[in-house]
Amino acid sequence: MSTKLFTFKGGVHPPQNKITQNVPIEDAVDPKIVVIPLSQHIGAPCDPLVAVGDTVKVGQKIGESKAFVSVPVHSSVSGTVKKIEQHQVPGGSKVNCIIIESDGQFTVHESVQPKGNPDNLTKEEILSIIKEAGMAGMGGAAFPTHVKLSPPKDKVIDVLLVNGAECEPYLTADHRIMLEKPEYVILGIKAVKKALGVEKCYIAIEKNKPDAIETLQKLTAGEEGIEVAPMEVKYPQGDEKRIINAITGRIVPSGGLPMEVGCVVENVGTVATIGSVFETGMPAIQRVVTVSGSAVKNPKNIYVRIGTLFKDVIEQCGGYSEEPGKILNGGPMMGIAQFTDEVPVVKGTSGILVFNKKDSEIPEPSNCIMCGRCVDACPVHLQPYKISRYSILRDFDNSDKYHAADCIECGGCSYVCPSKRPLKETISVAKKEILTRRKKAK
């Protein structure tokens, strides 16, 4: 193992609580009903390709948009379309969903066929396969993968970074993927490298996953241009701009994208699913989800069909060990709280965390003592206490002057604040207002 550890300036060290790091991935119990949102990605929502009463098969395309920034959705079961209606999703909104009752047969659609070796395909063929498979970032952002892999001609990409840091406490889905599906990771990397036309790839993994580092170092030993980059254990090590800076030394400009500095970052779960698409032909209808927290009886890593309700996934983990105080989609630092467990697993659902009432208590804030801990912790080098103060006063012009829009909403400032100020929450309000104003001004 390499002794050099990559990292960035700033960040925090919350307890890791990787309860499920040694728990192998378990196949989910087959759902009786799935609720498949027609919008699981950044970009245009899909239009339904099926109607109520239609029979569908596993892997069948059931929703699609003609927009470039969008990806299709597919059925994760075979059965009958019961409803097409608005339903609550983990992001907090209601979107059109296709509700399918499974017939229990899981009959695979005829279109599901292996796609072949990426080495024998053109860049255009690879991008088409990735789009048609419904690939969107599985680290949480859910940005359409084919769009990220199609930079403008004036942006020269020379480095691919695969994000296996998984710095959020509790989450271990990516860790288990690297251990149990490493061949898919490498196959996916090869496809993405060819699509981008890059020679160099780094797989970024925090050092608290030595088994994953060792597994992928052995597997890449004979692969030219693919290198495992061990990283320090620090949050938010998995932020794409922090990974770029830590490994390449490059700095993405304010408001810019990774391609501005010749980089593309893909989540390791995303590239593993791409690898699976090429080998099996099955589109993105399943994902690994970590189910953990103080109010879950048996924390697990589960391979879940998209559209399965949270309550059904939690039930496979023995259900609630006590009355839940909070249910999160994602990790404890950046995850989104849910008011119901009747929301579906989507492509960006990396974790379902359930905490008891004690662990869910929000501390009472007191006055800022100007200690500067939030400034030291901020990975973007902002002054969170100032932005928060202006946001509370609804002085968004001054919030903008202090670069509120550059906040990555990691929550590190709130975590270290001794006065328990709602820094991240108030900065998020300012950021949303500023970005809304900018859109209106265009």
Side-chain angles (χ1 to χ4, degrees), residues 173 287-291 300-304 313 345 349-352:
R287 69 151 301 138
V288 181
V289 178
T290 297
V291 187
K300 296 180 179 181
N301 295 297
I302 304 185
Y303 197 38
V304 182
V313 182
V345 169
T349 302
S350 55
I352 299 173

Side-chain angles (χ1 to χ4, degrees), residues 152-413:
K153 291 183 179 179
D154 62 329
K155 305 295 182 185
V156 179
I157 308 300
D158 63 349
V159 177
L160 167 66
L161 297 116
V162 175
N163 184 356
E166 199 166 45
C167 59
E168 276 267 13
Y170 289 94
L171 302 186
T172 60
D174 288 348
H175 185 179
R176 296 310 309 180
I177 287 170
M178 290 185 282
L179 283 179
E180 300 182 51
K181 303 175 185 287
E183 294 83 4
Y184 281 161
V185 173
I186 302 306
L187 181 57
I189 287 173
K190 290 180 177 179
V192 172
K193 280 183 65 183
K194 186 161 186 181
L196 286 170
V198 302
E199 297 297 327
K200 191 63 181 178
C201 170
Y202 296 96
I203 307 173
I205 310 173
E206 283 191 332
K207 70 173 182 180
N208 60 356
K209 306 171 187 65
D211 46 2
I213 291 172
E214 183 180 3
T215 296
L216 287 170
Q217 281 182 332
K218 287 181 179 178
L219 208 57
T220 58
E223 298 288 348
E224 189 173 344
I226 304 177
E227 181 181 335
V228 176
M231 306 189 80
E232 283 189 19
V233 179
K234 184 165 61 171
Y235 178 86
Q237 195 77 263
D239 175 69
E240 65 177 10
K241 293 180 182 178
R242 278 359 93 193
I243 284 180
I244 290 170
N245 180 241
I247 295 177
T248 70
R250 302 173 189 178
I251 299 174
V252 180
S254 174
L257 297 171
M259 62 180 166
E260 306 287 344
V261 293
C263 297
V264 164
V265 183
E266 288 288 358
N267 168 261
V268 73
T270 306
V271 296
T273 304
I274 290 172
S276 175
V277 167
F278 278 88
E279 184 157 307
T280 69
M282 185 62 72
I285 63 161
Q286 288 178 282
R287 69 151 301 138
V288 181
V289 178
T290 297
V291 187
S292 191
S294 54
V296 174
K297 280 188 179 178
N298 304 308
K300 296 180 179 181
N301 295 297
I302 304 185
Y303 197 38
V304 182
R305 291 180 185 269
I306 301 298
T308 306
L309 296 179
F310 276 27
K311 66 176 184 179
D312 294 334
V313 182
I314 295 167
E315 186 62 31
Q316 185 168 341
C317 297
Y320 302 114
S321 58
E322 55 185 290
E323 186 179 355
K326 185 172 286 186
I327 300 173
L328 294 178
N329 175 70
M333 299 296 285
M334 295 186 74
I336 299 175
Q338 309 296 306
F339 71 86
T340 175
D341 58 6
E342 295 196 22
V343 292
V345 169
V346 294
K347 293 172 186 177
T349 302
S350 55
I352 299 173
L353 302 185
V354 188
F355 296 105
N356 60 29
K357 293 200 169 183
K358 180 182 176 182
D359 291 344
S360 304
E361 289 179 358
I362 298 174
E364 192 69 29
S366 56
N367 292 334
C368 174
I369 62 173
M370 305 291 284
C371 65
R373 291 185 189 179
C374 61
V375 178
D376 292 337
C378 181
V380 193
H381 314 304
L382 303 177
Q383 298 181 61
Y385 73 101
K386 281 186 177 285
I387 301 171
S388 174
R389 181 189 302 163
Y390 285 125
S391 178
I392 291 169
L393 294 171
R394 301 194 68 76
D395 184 351
F396 299 120
D397 288 335
N398 270 314
S399 293
D400 197 6
K401 287 179 183 178
Y402 281 90
H403 305 283
D406 287 323
C407 173
I408 61 172
E409 302 182 55
C410 69
C413 53

